[in-house]
Amino acid sequence: MHALLEFSDPAATETAVSGGKGASLARLTQGGFGVPPGVIVPAESYRAFLASVPGLADLAAALTPEDAPRLHAQCADIRARLTESPLPPQVDAALRERLPALLAGGRVSVRSSATLEDLAGAAFAGQHDTYLNVEGVDDVIDAVRRCFASLWEDRAVRYRHEKGFAPDAAAMAVVIQRMVRSEVAGVAFSMNPITGALDQVVVNAAYGLGETVVSGEGGIDQFVLAKRTGEVVEQSISTKEHALVGGAKGTERVEVDAARRDVPCLAETDLRALADMVRRVERFYAFPQDVEWALAEGELHLLQSRPVTEFPERWTRDESAERFPSPVTPLTWDFTMDGFHESLTYSLELMGLPPFRGAWFDRFDGYVYGNQTAVQLFTAGQQVSFESLDELRAMRETMVSQYRWVQELPVTWARDLDRYLLALGRLGAVPLHTLTDDQVWRQMRDIDALGRAYFLPNIAISITHGVLHRTLYRLVHLLAGAEKAPVLYDALNSFSELKTSLVNGDLYRLYRIAAAEPALAALLTGTDRRRVWDDGLLEAHPRFLFAFRRFLEDHGHREVEFDTYVPTWSGQPWVVLENLRLMLLQGDVPDPGAREGDLRARQSAAEREFLAAVPEELRNFAAELLRLARAYTALDDLEHYQTTRLNPLSRAAATELGARLVRRGVLSVAEDVFFLRKRTLQRLMENGGGADAEATAEAAENRAAYERQRATQPPRVWGQDNAPPPEGALRGLAGSPGAAEGPVCLVHGVEDFARFVPGSVLVARTTNPAWTPLFYSAVAVITESGGPLSHGAVTAREVGIPAVMAVHGALSALRDGEVVRVNGTQGAVSRL
């Protein structure tokens, strides 16, 4: 057993071993950052400790998270047994051997590092204990025991329960780290957590230890910096009356000199250095980071870094207008989005990116909007960005090993494609009219399950496609310069083996057949195309009809719109005939395959030019980058082509159910099934029976809304609250974006918890982890102190409610029951 691990030990970088905090410090230490020295008591030592305490497993199994008073007593019993029990001899001996050398350099902090921290939310870490400025081996060992025991605080057990984890799902590691006697400390986000701006660093700072900033219990200075330069974009300087510093016993509050209270606690040179460190940490982790830091004797120290887990929602049509140009019916949306977000979770894990718990797309008034902050964050490819060839040389080996999956994914995807296509064939062969209602409903869910399984890695394909091309363009730009780069990049990608090209070639061949028959050309250009198909007028042109039917067999699953409500080409063949009409009217349409040879030659020449310009030591890397960029272009196109094979099968099953609901008197026409929600259709299928007035009304209401939506131009940005706060509004710092209204409930301390009314605006001097349950009942939060990087603001963002911090005098200015509007984006509170 590893009773103790150094930060430099490779095993310490695993979260399951060292917890979220410990693993991060080990990675940062091994990455060369200025992390104060320390050691980790790993999770296996905690498990050995638990196993050494008789009866503890039975107590843990009997916990009752839903019964708060009983849970409080149960957890107190567990903690008492742990704090009164000795550590296992091997752990105790290892600590007594290592601690004297660590303590020789000064006092230490002893911090809990649970194995579930940073996996389920930014507020997770705040649930467990931290001890600062600890001296003496026995005191440190006692603090380790207490950190172990804090995993069983009733608030922590309830929090794990709310997040869906079993009471004993987490283990606890402990970080013992030399304290930095900081003059200034705080927290920095490598993106703006309120606006979502990725080119800004937000810093909250205070004199003394950083716990002042994290706890939100004192005045803080806030700086918004340009990420690239460290230049101050805006700042808010508060009155800092007290500082938290190391004392004889733990920490103590001391008064700040009057001359320093109202001036910035960080100089511009310090801010530039901090922005540089935060930028490097973000690059190291390939994702925006929440960084704890300290400044002592002019030197910056990195105390902690974790991924940013909550992002402000900014819904726009920027990413979705092309893919979802029209409103989407409720049934299609319900089936699609569950599978989409399953794929997102799978794909982000595959790509080595932190999980995203929000919605990537959402539907507002029928139209699909993208969460632009998340889209930019996860698709920007900042994890592989570089600004010079030297920087690329330094990153190359890490990129090659870290992104090996990029080379493997096309192979595994192609392997699994056959299974998907064969299963589709089996499902498509089922005669729906022979099935019972329940069996058709099962068929529809089987099609959905098959599509979800097939689609799991497909978002990774789309994101990687974009990242590869951005990376390739960056390299071309460095080699060829700003003027020549667009031309060279275009030539490098001038030809790809695409399924879309194959479809276009087959359509061109249909055009050539039609153009060769004047009577057929006249028919297609002079007669309504739907009538041509419905009245069987193509029967007089057997050669064309045979080729056309073959075309529909091969490509009839291509969608006209994303929505399954809208038939694909096979469901409305006159759409293809309309394309042919336009080609015939144009006349002398060029063969799309005729230029293939020229494009290949141009691409080959550009490739020779490109690789010749690449330094020799980067040439193999550049060649593989180019190959993968082209491969993913083809794969992204093929993935979409094969995904749409689901549409005809899904539509057939849905309309079959719709026809049966028509016979039951629920719907007017079969296609109205798409205007039911998935849960409604499930209820109708499970309950059976005849008419259902509620479902009939739902379908009619949603159809009417859909018709209105199709005639409406949706706004580019949804739900922006740009109206300036009214005169006399209380002002503070934006803590969690969004706006909400509700009655005020003043909470001065834990003694007021019982009187808090769900649906109220929580108003407090400050909050700490013990207050977390109130956040789930509140509609918004207002605090008198703290800032957007304090625990209260982070928890509000995690829960998804607006918050305004540092509203001075809020407890005096507001009254219980008065209704206010909290605008967490603008940092304003308005009385209504």
Side-chain angles (χ1 to χ4, degrees), residues 19-95:
K21 188 179 283 88
S24 176
L25 289 171
R27 294 187 199 110
L28 292 166
T29 298
Q30 294 171 36
F33 290 93
V35 177
V39 294
I40 299 163
V41 186
E44 58 183 323
S45 293
Y46 164 80
R47 293 189 183 95
F49 180 39
L50 249 62
S52 71
V53 180
L56 206 68
D58 293 335
L59 291 175
L63 289 174
T64 56
E66 296 86 358
D67 185 343
R70 187 180 175 197
L71 179 67
H72 181 77
Q74 291 171 323
C75 290
D77 186 14
I78 291 176
R79 293 197 306 277
R81 295 195 187 203
L82 290 173
T83 54
E84 293 166 5
S85 299
L87 293 176
Q90 187 177 351
V91 178
D92 185 81
L95 285 167

Coordinates of all heavy atoms in Angstrom, one line a residue, residues 19-95:
G19 N -7.6 12.1 -5.2 CA -8.7 13.0 -5.2 C -8.5 14.1 -6.2 O -7.4 14.2 -6.8
G20 N -9.5 15.0 -6.4 CA -9.5 16.0 -7.4 C -8.4 17.0 -7.1 O -7.6 17.3 -8.0
K21 N -8.3 17.5 -5.8 CA -7.3 18.5 -5.5 C -5.9 17.9 -5.6 O -5.0 18.5 -6.1 CB -7.6 19.0 -4.1 CG -6.8 20.2 -3.7 CD -7.2 20.7 -2.3 CE -8.5 21.5 -2.3 NZ -9.7 20.7 -2.1
G22 N -5.7 16.7 -5.0 CA -4.3 16.2 -4.9 C -3.8 15.8 -6.3 O -2.6 16.1 -6.6
A23 N -4.7 15.2 -7.2 CA -4.2 14.8 -8.5 C -3.9 16.1 -9.3 O -2.9 16.1 -10.1 CB -5.4 14.1 -9.2
S24 N -4.6 17.2 -9.2 CA -4.3 18.4 -9.9 C -3.0 18.9 -9.4 O -2.1 19.3 -10.3 CB -5.4 19.4 -9.7 OG -5.1 20.6 -10.3
L25 N -2.7 19.0 -8.1 CA -1.4 19.5 -7.7 C -0.2 18.6 -8.1 O 0.8 19.2 -8.4 CB -1.4 19.6 -6.1 CG -2.3 20.7 -5.6 CD1 -2.5 20.5 -4.1 CD2 -1.8 22.1 -5.9
A26 N -0.5 17.3 -8.2 CA 0.6 16.5 -8.7 C 0.9 16.7 -10.2 O 2.0 16.8 -10.6 CB 0.2 15.0 -8.5
R27 N -0.2 16.9 -11.0 CA 0.0 17.2 -12.4 C 0.7 18.5 -12.6 O 1.6 18.6 -13.4 CB -1.3 17.2 -13.1 CG -2.0 15.8 -13.1 CD -3.3 15.9 -14.0 NE -4.2 14.8 -13.7 CZ -5.3 14.9 -13.1 NH1 -5.8 16.1 -12.8 NH2 -6.1 13.8 -12.9
L28 N 0.3 19.5 -11.8 CA 0.9 20.8 -12.0 C 2.4 20.8 -11.5 O 3.2 21.4 -12.2 CB 0.1 21.8 -11.1 CG -1.3 22.1 -11.6 CD1 -2.1 22.9 -10.6 CD2 -1.2 23.0 -12.9
T29 N 2.7 20.1 -10.5 CA 4.1 20.0 -10.0 C 4.9 19.3 -11.1 O 6.0 19.8 -11.5 CB 4.1 19.2 -8.7 OG1 3.4 19.8 -7.7 CG2 5.6 19.0 -8.3
Q30 N 4.4 18.2 -11.7 CA 5.1 17.5 -12.7 C 5.2 18.3 -14.0 O 6.0 18.0 -14.9 CB 4.5 16.1 -12.9 CG 4.7 15.2 -11.6 CD 4.0 13.9 -11.7 OE1 3.8 13.3 -12.8 NE2 3.4 13.5 -10.6
G31 N 4.3 19.3 -14.2 CA 4.3 20.1 -15.3 C 5.2 21.3 -15.2 O 5.3 22.1 -16.1
G32 N 5.9 21.5 -14.1 CA 6.9 22.5 -13.9 C 6.3 23.8 -13.3 O 7.0 24.8 -13.4
F33 N 5.1 23.8 -12.8 CA 4.5 25.1 -12.3 C 5.0 25.3 -10.8 O 5.5 24.3 -10.1 CB 3.0 25.0 -12.3 CG 2.5 25.1 -13.7 CD1 2.2 23.9 -14.4 CD2 2.2 26.3 -14.3 CE1 1.7 24.0 -15.7 CE2 1.7 26.4 -15.6 CZ 1.5 25.2 -16.3
G34 N 4.9 26.5 -10.3 CA 5.4 26.9 -9.0 C 4.4 26.5 -7.9 O 3.8 27.4 -7.3
V35 N 4.3 25.2 -7.7 CA 3.4 24.7 -6.6 C 4.2 24.5 -5.3 O 5.3 23.8 -5.3 CB 2.8 23.3 -7.1 CG1 2.0 22.7 -6.0 CG2 2.1 23.5 -8.4
P36 N 3.8 25.0 -4.2 CA 4.4 24.8 -2.9 C 4.6 23.3 -2.7 O 3.6 22.5 -3.0 CB 3.5 25.5 -1.9 CG 2.8 26.5 -2.7 CD 2.6 25.9 -4.0
P37 N 5.7 22.8 -2.1 CA 5.9 21.4 -1.9 C 4.8 20.8 -0.9 O 4.3 21.5 -0.1 CB 7.3 21.3 -1.3 CG 7.5 22.6 -0.7 CD 6.8 23.6 -1.6
G38 N 4.6 19.5 -1.1 CA 3.7 18.8 -0.3 C 3.6 17.3 -0.6 O 4.3 16.8 -1.4
V39 N 2.7 16.6 0.2 CA 2.5 15.2 0.0 C 1.0 14.9 0.1 O 0.2 15.7 0.5 CB 3.3 14.4 1.1 CG1 4.8 14.5 1.0 CG2 2.8 14.8 2.5
I40 N 0.7 13.7 -0.4 CA -0.7 13.3 -0.4 C -0.9 12.0 0.4 O -0.1 11.0 0.2 CB -1.2 13.0 -1.9 CG1 -1.1 14.3 -2.7 CG2 -2.6 12.5 -1.9 CD1 -1.1 14.1 -4.2
V41 N -1.9 12.0 1.3 CA -2.3 10.8 1.9 C -3.4 10.2 1.0 O -4.5 10.8 0.9 CB -2.9 11.0 3.3 CG1 -3.2 9.7 4.0 CG2 -1.9 11.8 4.2
P42 N -3.1 9.1 0.3 CA -4.0 8.7 -0.8 C -5.3 8.0 -0.3 O -5.4 7.7 0.9 CB -3.1 7.7 -1.6 CG -2.2 7.2 -0.6 CD -1.9 8.3 0.3
A43 N -6.2 7.8 -1.3 CA -7.5 7.2 -0.9 C -7.4 5.8 -0.4 O -8.2 5.4 0.5 CB -8.4 7.2 -2.2
E44 N -6.3 5.1 -0.8 CA -6.2 3.7 -0.2 C -5.9 3.8 1.3 O -6.2 2.8 2.0 CB -5.2 2.9 -1.0 CG -3.8 3.5 -1.1 CD -2.9 2.6 -1.9 OE1 -3.0 1.4 -1.9 OE2 -2.0 3.2 -2.7
S45 N -5.2 4.8 1.7 CA -4.9 5.0 3.2 C -6.2 5.2 3.9 O -6.5 4.7 5.0 CB -3.9 6.1 3.4 OG -2.7 5.7 2.9
Y46 N -7.1 6.0 3.3 CA -8.4 6.3 3.8 C -9.2 5.0 3.9 O -9.9 4.7 5.0 CB -9.2 7.3 3.0 CG -10.7 7.4 3.2 CD1 -11.2 8.1 4.3 CD2 -11.6 6.7 2.4 CE1 -12.5 8.2 4.6 CE2 -12.9 6.8 2.6 CZ -13.4 7.5 3.7 OH -14.8 7.6 3.9
R47 N -9.2 4.2 2.9 CA -10.0 3.0 2.9 C -9.5 2.0 4.0 O -10.2 1.3 4.7 CB -10.0 2.3 1.5 CG -10.7 3.1 0.5 CD -10.8 2.3 -0.8 NE -11.5 3.1 -1.9 CZ -10.8 3.8 -2.8 NH1 -9.5 3.8 -2.8 NH2 -11.5 4.5 -3.7
A48 N -8.1 2.0 4.1 CA -7.5 1.1 5.2 C -8.0 1.7 6.6 O -8.2 0.9 7.5 CB -6.0 1.1 5.1
F49 N -8.0 3.0 6.7 CA -8.5 3.6 8.0 C -9.9 3.2 8.3 O -10.3 2.7 9.4 CB -8.3 5.1 7.9 CG -8.8 5.8 9.1 CD1 -8.5 5.4 10.4 CD2 -9.4 7.0 9.0 CE1 -8.9 6.1 11.5 CE2 -9.8 7.8 10.1 CZ -9.5 7.3 11.4
L50 N -10.8 3.3 7.3 CA -12.2 2.9 7.5 C -12.3 1.4 7.8 O -13.1 1.1 8.7 CB -13.0 3.2 6.2 CG -14.0 4.3 6.2 CD1 -13.3 5.6 6.5 CD2 -14.8 4.4 4.9
A51 N -11.6 0.6 7.2 CA -11.7 -0.9 7.4 C -11.2 -1.2 8.8 O -11.6 -2.2 9.4 CB -10.8 -1.6 6.4
S52 N -10.4 -0.3 9.4 CA -9.8 -0.6 10.8 C -10.8 -0.2 11.9 O -10.5 -0.6 13.0 CB -8.5 0.1 10.9 OG -8.7 1.5 11.0
V53 N -11.9 0.5 11.5 CA -12.8 0.9 12.6 C -14.0 0.0 12.6 O -14.8 -0.1 11.6 CB -13.3 2.4 12.3 CG1 -14.3 2.8 13.3 CG2 -12.1 3.3 12.2
P54 N -14.2 -0.8 13.7 CA -15.3 -1.8 13.7 C -16.7 -1.2 13.5 O -17.0 -0.2 14.1 CB -15.1 -2.4 15.1 CG -13.7 -2.1 15.5 CD -13.4 -0.7 14.9
G55 N -17.5 -1.9 12.7 CA -18.9 -1.5 12.6 C -19.2 -0.3 11.7 O -20.3 0.0 11.5
L56 N -18.1 0.3 11.1 CA -18.3 1.5 10.3 C -19.1 1.2 9.0 O -20.0 2.0 8.6 CB -17.0 2.2 10.0 CG -17.1 3.7 9.8 CD1 -17.4 4.4 11.1 CD2 -15.8 4.2 9.2
A57 N -18.8 0.1 8.4 CA -19.5 -0.2 7.1 C -21.0 -0.3 7.3 O -21.8 0.1 6.5 CB -18.9 -1.5 6.5
D58 N -21.4 -0.9 8.5 CA -22.8 -1.1 8.7 C -23.5 0.3 9.0 O -24.6 0.5 8.5 CB -23.0 -2.0 10.0 CG -22.6 -3.4 9.7 OD1 -22.6 -3.8 8.5 OD2 -22.2 -4.1 10.7
L59 N -22.8 1.2 9.7 CA -23.3 2.5 9.9 C -23.5 3.3 8.6 O -24.5 3.9 8.4 CB -22.4 3.3 10.8 CG -22.3 2.8 12.3 CD1 -21.3 3.7 13.0 CD2 -23.7 3.0 13.0
A60 N -22.5 3.1 7.7 CA -22.6 3.8 6.4 C -23.8 3.3 5.6 O -24.5 4.0 4.9 CB -21.3 3.7 5.6
A61 N -24.0 2.0 5.6 CA -25.1 1.4 4.8 C -26.5 1.8 5.4 O -27.4 1.7 4.6 CB -25.0 -0.2 4.9
A62 N -26.6 2.2 6.6 CA -27.8 2.5 7.2 C -28.2 4.0 7.1 O -29.2 4.4 7.7 CB -27.8 2.1 8.7
L63 N -27.4 4.8 6.5 CA -27.6 6.2 6.4 C -29.0 6.5 5.7 O -29.4 5.8 4.7 CB -26.5 6.9 5.7 CG -25.2 7.0 6.4 CD1 -24.1 7.6 5.5 CD2 -25.3 7.8 7.7
T64 N -29.6 7.6 6.1 CA -30.9 8.0 5.6 C -30.9 9.4 5.1 O -31.3 10.3 5.8 CB -32.0 7.8 6.7 OG1 -31.7 8.6 7.8 CG2 -32.2 6.4 7.1
P65 N -30.4 9.7 3.9 CA -30.2 11.0 3.4 C -31.5 11.8 3.3 O -31.5 13.1 3.4 CB -29.7 10.8 1.9 CG -29.0 9.5 2.0 CD -29.9 8.7 2.9
E66 N -32.7 11.2 3.2 CA -34.0 11.9 3.1 C -34.5 12.4 4.5 O -35.3 13.3 4.5 CB -35.0 11.0 2.5 CG -34.8 10.6 1.0 CD -33.9 9.4 0.9 OE1 -33.5 8.9 2.0 OE2 -33.6 8.9 -0.2
D67 N -34.0 11.8 5.5 CA -34.4 12.1 6.9 C -33.3 13.0 7.6 O -32.4 12.5 8.2 CB -34.7 10.9 7.7 CG -35.2 11.1 9.1 OD1 -35.1 12.3 9.6 OD2 -35.8 10.2 9.7
A68 N -33.4 14.3 7.4 CA -32.3 15.2 7.8 C -31.9 15.1 9.3 O -30.7 15.0 9.6 CB -32.6 16.7 7.5
P69 N -32.9 15.1 10.3 CA -32.5 15.0 11.7 C -31.8 13.7 12.0 O -30.8 13.7 12.7 CB -33.8 15.1 12.4 CG -34.7 15.8 11.5 CD -34.3 15.4 10.1
R70 N -32.3 12.6 11.4 CA -31.7 11.3 11.7 C -30.3 11.2 11.0 O -29.4 10.7 11.6 CB -32.6 10.2 11.2 CG -32.1 8.8 11.6 CD -33.1 7.7 11.0 NE -32.6 6.4 11.3 CZ -33.0 5.3 10.7 NH1 -34.0 5.4 9.8 NH2 -32.5 4.1 11.0
L71 N -30.2 11.8 9.8 CA -28.9 11.7 9.1 C -27.9 12.5 9.9 O -26.7 12.1 10.0 CB -29.1 12.4 7.7 CG -27.8 12.4 6.9 CD1 -27.3 11.0 6.5 CD2 -28.0 13.2 5.6
H72 N -28.3 13.6 10.5 CA -27.4 14.5 11.3 C -26.8 13.6 12.4 O -25.5 13.6 12.7 CB -28.1 15.7 11.9 CG -27.2 16.6 12.7 ND1 -26.3 17.4 12.1 CD2 -27.1 16.7 14.0 CE1 -25.7 18.1 13.1 NE2 -26.1 17.7 14.3
A73 N -27.6 12.9 13.1 CA -27.1 12.0 14.2 C -26.3 10.9 13.7 O -25.2 10.5 14.3 CB -28.3 11.5 15.0
Q74 N -26.7 10.3 12.6 CA -25.9 9.1 12.1 C -24.5 9.6 11.7 O -23.5 8.9 11.9 CB -26.7 8.6 10.9 CG -27.9 7.8 11.2 CD -28.7 7.5 10.0 OE1 -28.8 8.3 9.0 NE2 -29.4 6.3 10.0
C75 N -24.4 10.7 11.0 CA -23.1 11.2 10.5 C -22.3 11.6 11.7 O -21.0 11.4 11.7 CB -23.3 12.4 9.6 SG -24.0 11.9 8.0
A76 N -22.9 12.3 12.7 CA -22.1 12.6 13.9 C -21.4 11.4 14.5 O -20.3 11.4 15.0 CB -23.0 13.4 14.9
D77 N -22.2 10.3 14.6 CA -21.7 9.0 15.2 C -20.5 8.5 14.4 O -19.4 8.2 14.9 CB -22.8 8.0 15.2 CG -22.4 6.7 15.9 OD1 -21.4 6.7 16.6 OD2 -23.1 5.7 15.8
I78 N -20.6 8.5 13.0 CA -19.5 8.1 12.2 C -18.3 9.0 12.3 O -17.1 8.5 12.5 CB -19.9 8.1 10.7 CG1 -21.0 7.0 10.4 CG2 -18.7 7.8 9.8 CD1 -21.5 6.9 9.0
R79 N -18.5 10.3 12.4 CA -17.3 11.2 12.5 C -16.6 11.0 13.8 O -15.4 11.0 13.9 CB -17.8 12.6 12.3 CG -18.2 13.0 10.9 CD -18.2 14.5 10.7 NE -19.0 15.2 11.7 CZ -20.4 15.3 11.6 NH1 -21.0 14.8 10.6 NH2 -21.0 16.0 12.6
A80 N -17.4 10.8 14.9 CA -16.8 10.6 16.2 C -16.0 9.4 16.2 O -14.9 9.4 16.8 CB -17.9 10.5 17.2
R81 N -16.4 8.3 15.7 CA -15.7 7.1 15.6 C -14.4 7.2 14.9 O -13.3 6.7 15.3 CB -16.5 5.9 15.0 CG -17.7 5.6 15.9 CD -18.3 4.2 15.4 NE -19.5 3.9 16.1 CZ -20.0 2.7 16.2 NH1 -19.3 1.7 15.8 NH2 -21.2 2.5 16.8
L82 N -14.4 8.0 13.8 CA -13.2 8.2 13.0 C -12.2 9.1 13.7 O -11.0 8.8 13.7 CB -13.6 8.8 11.6 CG -14.3 7.9 10.6 CD1 -14.8 8.6 9.4 CD2 -13.4 6.7 10.2
T83 N -12.6 10.2 14.2 CA -11.7 11.1 14.9 C -11.1 10.5 16.2 O -10.0 11.0 16.6 CB -12.4 12.5 15.2 OG1 -13.6 12.2 16.0 CG2 -12.8 13.2 13.9
E84 N -11.8 9.6 16.8 CA -11.3 8.9 18.0 C -10.4 7.7 17.7 O -9.8 7.1 18.6 CB -12.4 8.6 18.9 CG -13.2 9.8 19.4 CD -14.5 9.4 20.0 OE1 -14.8 8.2 20.1 OE2 -15.3 10.3 20.4
S85 N -10.3 7.3 16.4 CA -9.6 6.1 16.1 C -8.2 6.4 15.6 O -8.0 7.4 14.9 CB -10.3 5.2 15.1 OG -11.6 4.9 15.5
P86 N -7.2 5.6 15.9 CA -5.8 5.8 15.4 C -5.8 5.5 13.9 O -6.5 4.6 13.4 CB -5.0 4.9 16.2 CG -5.9 3.8 16.6 CD -7.2 4.4 16.8
L87 N -4.9 6.2 13.2 CA -4.6 5.8 11.8 C -4.0 4.5 11.7 O -3.3 4.0 12.7 CB -3.7 6.9 11.1 CG -4.3 8.3 10.9 CD1 -3.3 9.2 10.3 CD2 -5.5 8.2 10.0
P88 N -4.1 3.7 10.6 CA -3.4 2.5 10.5 C -1.9 2.7 10.7 O -1.3 3.7 10.3 CB -3.7 2.1 9.0 CG -5.0 2.7 8.7 CD -4.9 4.0 9.4
P89 N -1.2 1.7 11.4 CA 0.2 1.9 11.7 C 1.1 2.3 10.5 O 2.0 3.2 10.7 CB 0.6 0.5 12.3 CG -0.7 -0.1 12.7 CD -1.8 0.5 11.8
Q90 N 0.8 1.7 9.3 CA 1.7 2.1 8.2 C 1.5 3.5 7.8 O 2.5 4.2 7.4 CB 1.3 1.1 7.0 CG 2.3 1.3 5.8 CD 1.9 0.3 4.7 OE1 1.1 -0.6 4.9 NE2 2.5 0.5 3.5
V91 N 0.3 4.0 7.9 CA 0.0 5.4 7.5 C 0.6 6.4 8.5 O 1.3 7.4 8.2 CB -1.5 5.7 7.3 CG1 -1.8 7.1 7.0 CG2 -2.1 4.7 6.3
D92 N 0.4 6.0 9.8 CA 0.9 6.9 10.9 C 2.5 6.9 10.8 O 3.0 8.0 10.9 CB 0.5 6.3 12.2 CG 0.9 7.1 13.4 OD1 0.2 8.1 13.7 OD2 1.9 6.9 14.0
A93 N 3.1 5.8 10.6 CA 4.6 5.8 10.5 C 5.1 6.6 9.3 O 6.1 7.3 9.4 CB 5.1 4.3 10.4
A94 N 4.4 6.5 8.2 CA 4.9 7.2 7.0 C 4.8 8.7 7.2 O 5.6 9.5 6.8 CB 4.0 6.8 5.8
L95 N 3.7 9.2 7.9 CA 3.5 10.6 8.2 C 4.6 11.1 9.2 O 5.2 12.1 9.0 CB 2.1 10.8 8.7 CG 1.0 10.8 7.7 CD1 -0.4 10.8 8.4 CD2 1.1 12.0 6.8

